[in-house]
Amino acid sequence: RLRAAEGAAGQVRRLDAELEVAHRADAVAAGENAAAAVRYQTLVDRRLAGHAVELASHLVPGEPCEVCGSTAHPAPATGDEEPVTEADIVAARACLKQAQTRLDQTHVAAGTVATDLAEARARAGERTIDEIVAEMAASEVALAAAVNAGVRAAALGLDKSRLRAELDEAGRALAGLCSARDVAAVQLAERRSARQAIDDRVSAQRGDFASVGHRVDRLRAELASARALGEALDHSRERRSLRNAAGASVQAQLDREGFVDEQDVAAAHQNDADVRQLEELIRGHDDSRAAARSVLAEPALTGLPAGLTDVGPARETLVTAAAERDAALAERGSLGERVAVMTGLVTDARVHFDAGAELLSTQTQVRELAAAVHGDEPNTKRMRLETYVLAAQLEQIIAAANNRLRTMTGGRYTLEHDDSVQFRGGQSGLGLMIRDAHTGRARPTQSLSGGETFLASLALALGLAEIVSNQAGGIALDTLFVDEGFGSLDGATLETAMSTLDGLRAGGRTIGLISHVDSMKEQIPAKLVITVTDQGFSEIDEVLVSV
């Protein structure tokens, strides 16, 4: 597109020069055509005025006049000017026709060049060749950046696919963990119930002890002591019975032997059997004492206090710890359920976010397009779509109108399309500006004088007629009426306007001018004069037709 615009910009520069030459040739042809029309009209007027002199030259005294039939000729018409012949009229008409042909040719040439120039300007836009070259360089840099961005986008797409696969794998792993967690929760509940039953049994079996083990150890110690005590009591009873028997025997022997007591016997005599019996008694006592000490020396009974231990604080601590443990397990289960719910919500949110991002992008594009069509932001020109289409038509009309306006104003004024934003951000697109070649700047059309405004309006009307004719398949607008406006023109401007209209009339069109300006009546060869009477309607009192 920029290369085409560059070529079009070069073509615009060439066609500008050609159009200037064509305008000068058109102005010369218009002047020659106007001069030929004036000369032809002058000869026609002189021919009509010289008819009386020509008729008077054929009068013969005494013979009737060919016009009135009178034989008396008291005052025949005379003239000092050379009479105009029919050959002069024919020659002047031929010159006028040649001048009109040359004017039509220059008009067609100028119109062709102007059309080509408008097309080239439309292709080139409002930019110069230097601006287009700079934009081409910037576009090449942007293209290189876009290619790099495309490569980066492809790499990011691969990364996105890999991450999406990892996310799917993590989701499946999370689902497996959630299933395992549910199974573990069921097992935990079962084990918690079994543990509670065991705790109840342990509490019942523990009694006042710190634990069942402590009670078992205590009972085992008591059982061992009881067994040792039973054995000792059995042994004691046995020894007591033996002692009683021995005592009875001793007493009997004492009585029999005549001793008072055992001391007397012992003092008296101790045999080997008594000694062995005493030794056995001592040995049994030592064995019982050693057995009791061995029971107390067991590892399970190490560190036992001498008295009973208070297990109340330990039991309260155990209950508090169990309650805290149950609360922590319940909270962990609740948090697990929340994690599962939040994981599902996050997954759904991501799916909706992905779908919403695509819809948001589409909605943003449609909203920006609608805003641009309605002339809102980001449309910096504040121009509606229908206004844009009409502006394109207006540019064609302006291009055709400038061909006339340059000729009528001697190349001073040209019309320009103004698409700038209006006051307070109002919508634009169909404005007109006038460029003054004397100052080189464009200014509002309201600054033109009355005559200049008339010429600009006439040029626009002619340009509109030309564009309508071209777009209607070549259908010609053969009749044009201009009503008033001539009274505000000075002599030079009026002459320019009349020359332009004569050029149109010479091209085969019928031009009707409605005006009360006397100087125009002198230049119009065919006139229809309307006068107002006191009867309330108008009547035609003079009809002059000139072809």
Side-chain angles (χ1 to χ4, degrees), residues 53-364:
V53 177
E54 183 178 356
L55 291 174
S57 65
H58 294 86
L59 291 176
V60 178
E63 293 183 3
C65 176
E66 295 179 358
V67 177
C68 63
S70 175
T71 57
H73 312 296
T78 61
D80 297 333
E81 295 183 355
E82 183 180 356
V84 178
T85 64
E86 187 65 27
D88 295 333
I89 297 297
V90 172
R93 186 182 296 113
C95 292
L96 177 60
K97 186 175 183 180
Q98 291 177 359
Q100 292 175 350
T101 301
R102 285 194 299 273
L103 182 60
D104 291 339
Q105 292 174 352
T106 55
H107 277 339
V108 171
T112 301
V113 174
T115 302
D116 295 340
L117 178 59
E119 293 177 355
R121 282 178 174 170
R123 292 195 304 271
E126 299 297 332
R127 297 165 295 185
T128 63
I129 293 181
D130 295 336
E131 293 175 348
I132 294 174
V133 170
E135 188 173 354
M136 286 177 64
S139 299
E140 291 174 354
V141 174
L143 177 60
V147 171
N148 293 333
V151 174
R152 179 60 179 167
L156 291 177
L158 295 177
D159 292 342
K160 180 180 178 182
S161 300
R162 178 179 57 79
L163 292 175
R164 189 175 296 278
E166 293 179 358
L167 180 61
D168 295 339
E169 183 65 23
R172 290 191 292 270
L174 179 61
L177 291 175
C178 290
S179 177
R181 184 202 60 198
D182 295 338
V183 174
V186 174
Q187 295 177 354
L188 177 62
E190 294 176 354
R191 293 180 180 180
R192 186 179 297 165
S193 177
R195 189 193 65 183
Q196 185 63 36
I198 293 172
D199 288 342
D200 294 339
R201 291 179 59 189
V202 168
S203 298
Q205 296 295 330
R206 183 177 55 194
D208 296 335
F209 291 88
S211 64
V212 175
H214 291 168
R215 184 174 183 181
V216 169
D217 293 339
R218 179 67 176 273
L219 291 175
R220 285 178 179 174
E222 291 179 354
L223 177 60
S225 299
R227 287 177 179 176
L229 180 61
E231 292 177 357
L233 290 174
D234 292 340
H235 188 69
S236 176
R237 283 193 296 271
E238 182 181 357
R239 292 291 184 265
R240 184 179 296 113
S241 63
L242 292 174
R243 187 187 66 183
N244 292 333
S249 177
V250 169
Q251 186 65 36
Q253 289 180 3
L254 288 174
D255 292 339
R256 189 172 54 250
E257 294 293 334
F259 288 99
V260 177
D261 52 18
E262 294 177 359
Q263 286 77 11
D264 293 341
V265 176
H269 178 73
Q270 290 183 349
N271 54 23
D272 294 335
D274 294 335
V275 172
R276 286 193 299 271
Q277 184 179 4
L278 292 173
E279 289 177 353
E280 290 177 358
L281 182 59
I282 293 171
R283 188 180 299 111
H285 177 72
D286 292 338
D287 291 339
S288 299
R289 183 178 180 182
R293 287 182 176 178
S294 63
V295 171
L296 293 176
E298 291 182 1
L301 300 178
T302 303
L304 289 177
L308 296 178
T309 303
D310 185 9
V311 296
R315 184 179 292 109
E316 294 178 358
T317 304
L318 178 61
V319 172
T320 303
E324 292 178 353
R325 179 201 59 197
D326 295 339
L329 291 175
E331 185 176 0
R332 187 184 71 173
S334 177
L335 290 177
E337 294 177 357
R338 293 181 183 178
V339 167
V341 173
M342 289 304 297
T343 301
L345 292 176
V346 169
T347 302
D348 294 341
R350 287 177 178 173
V351 172
H352 287 85
F353 278 144
D354 294 339
E358 183 177 358
L359 293 176
L360 181 60
S361 177
T362 303
Q363 189 268 346
T364 300

Side-chain angles (χ1 to χ4, degrees), residues 109 151 176 213 226 314 365 384 391 417 448 460 488 491 541:
V151 174
Q365 295 177 1
R384 292 179 177 269
H417 175 217
L448 294 174
L460 281 172
S488 61
D541 63 350

Side-chain angles (χ1 to χ4, degrees), residues 2-24:
L2 290 174
R3 291 190 181 97
E6 182 183 14
Q11 189 176 5
V12 167
R13 182 180 296 175
R14 177 179 58 80
L15 291 176
D16 272 333
E18 293 181 2
L19 183 61
E20 185 66 26
V21 175
H23 283 161
R24 288 197 295 270

